[in-house]
């Protein structure tokens, strides 16, 4: 009995030892090393990155006074808190590549064949980790290797896409566009219904046809293209990219955010009906609360619909919006200005400034708009005072902050002259009166 047990254990150890070898390309060896590479490396590392990025996303605040970024990426300061998770992810994947690549090679960059189908995913994860670490040189090395070595695998496209994102971050916009154009061309070929049935044939006869793309990958290509277009301020191209990305977006929350960005672009281009439509699509239950709230406000502003004014007044009465009264009043003021109702608009702007206790940007905007109205009405005394108030609350990222400060300074001399003239006029009128009337 003991002899049989000994033989069984010995056999199992020998089998395990055989399976651990990276030099034997057998089903058992591949199963062992692929399972280890998938879960010990790729899966665990991706989870570390996912949780780290989610923590960053949950803690960051969107700047709704500007076009939202398609890809919010942590800054050098913000990424510091993510470094432990990123570095651990790199170590996990690096160990897998070193110990479970089949066959083992003295220099991985000069291998000729790979039998472990999860090794490329580990290379990609290392590249992604370096990207978020803002070490673009190392990230590029990893993605270039995947693109060169795994050219018959969909990883080729993923690596190319990440290379485009690196180029965008480094402002190499022309290089990024070349990559994205090539990826879009490949996607269009594969999406052509006339060629769909022949894709396997084309791949067998023509290696240039390449591996099949997933819908999610095509979504990421369009989203990256939109990001590039927005950074280059090519708004027509951005609209096209955002529309295609929205069409293929697999996540309802992200789709709402992309609709919000598309609405912002339309609003900036003064295409207000289209902006209203997409703000409406961004105002969905699946949207992030701040996206939904701002979409609701902006939809009312760009549409000018009186029924939506009632919606803003309803928001004003809602206790949960107590801290956002300044933004609601400001939206109501813009709607009234669009209708030509200046007195009511000024009243709402005054309320917006009053309730902007913790929102300097909103208070500066309210005073600026009050200054603009007074200036248009040639009431330069009030205009100067409003611009001066606005300049005291201007933040560093305020788009036309220097112009407002300049207006306040230049109008100050005019206001001083006006006040002196008014004082002299009143004094001379009194002096012209009889002693009894004085």
């Amino acid at each position: 009995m003991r002899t049989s047990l000994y033989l069984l254990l010995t056999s199992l150890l020998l089998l395990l030892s055989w399976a651990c070898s990276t030099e034997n390309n057998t089903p058992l060896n591949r199963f062992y090393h692929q399972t280890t590479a998938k879960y010990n490396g790729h899966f665990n590392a991706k989870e570390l990155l996912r949780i780290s990025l989610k923590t960053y996303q949950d803690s960051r605040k969107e700047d709704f006074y500007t076009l939202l970024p398609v890809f919010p990426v942590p800054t050098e300061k913000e990424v510091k808190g993510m470094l432990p998770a990123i570095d651990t992810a790199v170590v996990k994947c690096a160990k897998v590549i070193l110990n479970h690549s089949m066959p083992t090679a003295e220099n991985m960059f000069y291998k000729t064949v790979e039998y472990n189908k999860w090794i490329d995913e580990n290379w990609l994860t290392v590249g992604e980790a370096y990207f978020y670490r803002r070490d673009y040189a190392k990230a590029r090395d990893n993605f270039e290797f995947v693109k060169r070595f795994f050219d018959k695998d969909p990883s080729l496209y993923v690596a190319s896409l990440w290379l485009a994102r690196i180029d965008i971050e480094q402002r190499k916009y022309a290089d990024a566009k070349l990559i994205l154009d090539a990826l879009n061309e490949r996607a269009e070929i594969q999406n052509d219904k006339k060629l769909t049935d022949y894709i396997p044939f084309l791949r067998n006869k023509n290696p240039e046809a390449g591996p099949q793309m997933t819908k999610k990958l095509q979504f990421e290509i369009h989203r990256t293209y939109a990001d590039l277009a927005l950074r280059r301020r090519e708004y027509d191209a951005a609209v096209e990219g955002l529309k295609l990305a929205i069409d293929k977006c697999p996540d309802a929350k992200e789709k709402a955010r992309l609709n919000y960005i598309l609405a912002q672009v339309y609003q900036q281009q003064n295409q207000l009906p289209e902006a209203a439509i997409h703000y409406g699509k961004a105002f969905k239950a699946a949207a992030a609360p701040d996206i939904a709230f701002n979409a609701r406000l902006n939809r009312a502003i760009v549409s000018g619909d009186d029924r939506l004014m009632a919606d803003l007044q309803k928001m004003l009465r809602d206790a949960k919006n107590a801290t956002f009264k300044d933004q609601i009043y400001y939206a109501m003021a813009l709607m009234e200005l669009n209708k030509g109702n200046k007195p009511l608009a000024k009243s709402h702007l005054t309320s917006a400034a009053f309730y902007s206790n913790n929102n300097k940007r909103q208070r500066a905007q309210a005073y600026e708009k009050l200054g603009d109205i007074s200036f248009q009405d040639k009431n330069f005394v009030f205009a100067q005072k409003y611009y001066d108030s606005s300049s005291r609350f201007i933040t560093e990222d305020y788009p036309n902050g220097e112009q407002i400060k300049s207006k306040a300074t230049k109008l100050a001399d005019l206001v001083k002259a006006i006040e002196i003239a008014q004082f002299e006029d009143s004094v001379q009128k009194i002096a012209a009166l009889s002693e009894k009337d004085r």
Side-chain angles (χ1 to χ4, degrees), residues 274-423:
E274 290 83 0
I277 290 170
H278 288 282
Y279 277 131
K281 290 181 179 180
F283 175 42
K284 299 290 183 182
D290 54 350
I291 291 283
F293 175 82
N294 283 278
R296 195 173 175 184
L297 289 184
N298 286 310
R299 182 183 59 166
I301 294 169
V302 299
S303 68
D305 192 331
D306 287 337
R307 290 173 297 179
L308 294 181
M309 176 64 83
D311 184 50
L312 293 181
Q313 291 170 341
K314 181 180 177 182
M315 291 173 68
L316 205 57
R317 294 191 296 269
D318 192 336
K320 70 181 180 183
N321 293 326
T323 56
F324 304 111
K325 281 187 174 182
D326 54 346
Q327 296 178 57
I328 299 171
Y329 272 120
Y330 188 78
M332 292 169 66
L334 294 184
M335 288 188 73
E336 294 298 342
L337 277 178
N338 290 336
K339 292 190 294 184
N341 192 346
K342 283 186 180 180
L344 189 52
K346 290 170 70 174
S347 174
H348 291 327
L349 287 170
T350 303
S351 296
F354 175 78
Y355 285 107
S356 298
N357 294 323
N358 299 316
N359 190 343
K360 291 184 177 180
R361 179 71 175 265
Q362 187 62 73
R363 181 177 285 191
Q365 278 193 320
Y367 281 132
E368 180 192 358
K369 191 63 69 175
L370 283 165
D372 290 342
I373 295 171
S374 298
F375 190 87
Q376 290 168 6
D377 292 341
K378 299 189 184 327
N379 191 337
F380 301 119
V381 174
F382 277 101
Q384 191 278 331
K385 295 185 185 304
Y386 284 132
Y387 285 138
D388 184 61
S389 296
S390 178
S391 66
R392 286 189 283 114
F393 295 101
I394 282 173
T395 53
E396 290 183 3
D397 57 350
Y398 203 87
N400 57 330
E402 292 304 316
Q403 293 178 12
I404 294 170
K405 291 176 181 178
S406 177
K407 285 180 182 179
T409 302
K410 290 177 179 178
L411 283 174
D413 293 334
L414 176 61
V415 167
K416 185 177 180 181
I418 291 172
E419 288 178 339
I420 290 172
Q422 289 174 342
F423 175 77

Side-chain angles (χ1 to χ4, degrees), residues 32-222:
Y32 171 74
H33 290 290
Q34 286 175 7
T35 301
T36 305
K38 179 179 180 180
Y39 294 105
N40 285 12
H42 172 68
F43 177 79
N44 287 332
K46 288 289 282 188
E47 274 298 289
L48 283 168
L49 290 179
R50 185 188 67 80
I51 293 170
S52 184
L53 287 170
K54 186 178 185 304
T55 302
Y56 159 70
Q57 296 285 3
D58 292 343
S59 63
R60 71 180 290 272
K61 291 184 178 180
E62 298 275 17
D63 183 3
F64 288 98
Y65 297 102
T66 61
L67 275 174
L68 299 188
V70 175
F71 291 105
V73 177
T75 62
E76 288 186 14
K77 182 179 180 181
E78 292 168 334
V79 81
K80 288 181 180 178
M82 301 168 61
L83 292 181
I86 290 173
D87 291 343
T88 303
V90 170
V91 169
K92 283 183 176 293
C93 290
K95 283 184 178 179
V96 161
I97 293 169
L98 183 64
N99 298 324
H100 299 282
S101 183
M102 297 179 64
T104 301
E106 290 185 8
N107 190 324
M108 292 292 177
F109 286 92
Y110 294 98
K111 284 184 64 171
T112 58
V113 66
E114 177 58 66
Y115 298 118
N116 187 337
K117 67 179 183 180
W118 283 96
I119 291 298
D120 53 336
E121 276 76 8
N122 280 273
W123 279 104
L124 289 172
T125 304
V126 171
E128 184 180 347
Y130 278 130
F131 174 86
Y132 287 114
R133 206 184 197 287
R134 303 179 70 85
D135 190 339
Y136 298 128
K138 288 183 180 178
R140 187 181 292 278
D141 287 342
N142 278 269
F143 294 131
E144 289 285 7
F145 173 73
V146 172
K147 186 179 175 183
R148 182 176 67 253
F149 190 81
F150 298 94
D151 59 343
K152 302 295 189 297
D153 191 275
S155 295
L156 161 73
Y157 302 135
V158 179
S160 296
L161 186 60
W162 278 105
L163 286 169
R165 288 194 60 185
I166 291 172
D167 285 335
I168 292 171
E169 291 300 323
Q170 294 184 323
R171 301 186 179 222
K172 299 176 181 178
Y173 297 143
D175 293 340
K177 190 174 187 304
L178 286 174
I179 295 172
L180 293 173
D181 284 346
L183 289 171
N184 269 324
E185 183 180 353
R186 179 59 49 210
E188 287 174 5
I189 291 173
Q190 295 189 3
N191 288 334
D192 191 328
K193 292 182 179 179
K194 293 180 180 178
L195 292 177
T196 300
D197 295 336
Y198 299 100
I199 287 294
F201 170 79
L202 287 174
R203 277 203 297 271
N204 291 334
K205 296 295 182 181
N206 180 13
E208 295 292 325
Q212 190 70 20
M213 283 187 183
T214 63
K215 182 179 178 180
K216 186 177 185 301
L217 180 60
Q218 291 181 46
F219 157 69
E220 293 293 349
I221 293 169
H222 295 312

Side-chain angles (χ1 to χ4, degrees), residues 222-242:
H222 295 312
R223 189 159 63 142
T224 306
Y225 188 83
D227 180 39
L228 172 63
L230 285 175
R231 297 204 194 200
R232 298 180 80 175
R233 298 183 181 180
E234 297 174 348
Y235 296 114
D236 289 341
V239 166
E240 180 185 357
L242 287 166

Side-chain angles (χ1 to χ4, degrees), residues 1-14:
M1 182 70 178
R2 289 183 179 178
T3 304
S4 299
L5 182 60
Y6 175 78
L7 289 172
L8 178 62
L9 290 173
T10 302
S11 300
L12 287 172
L13 287 171
L14 288 172

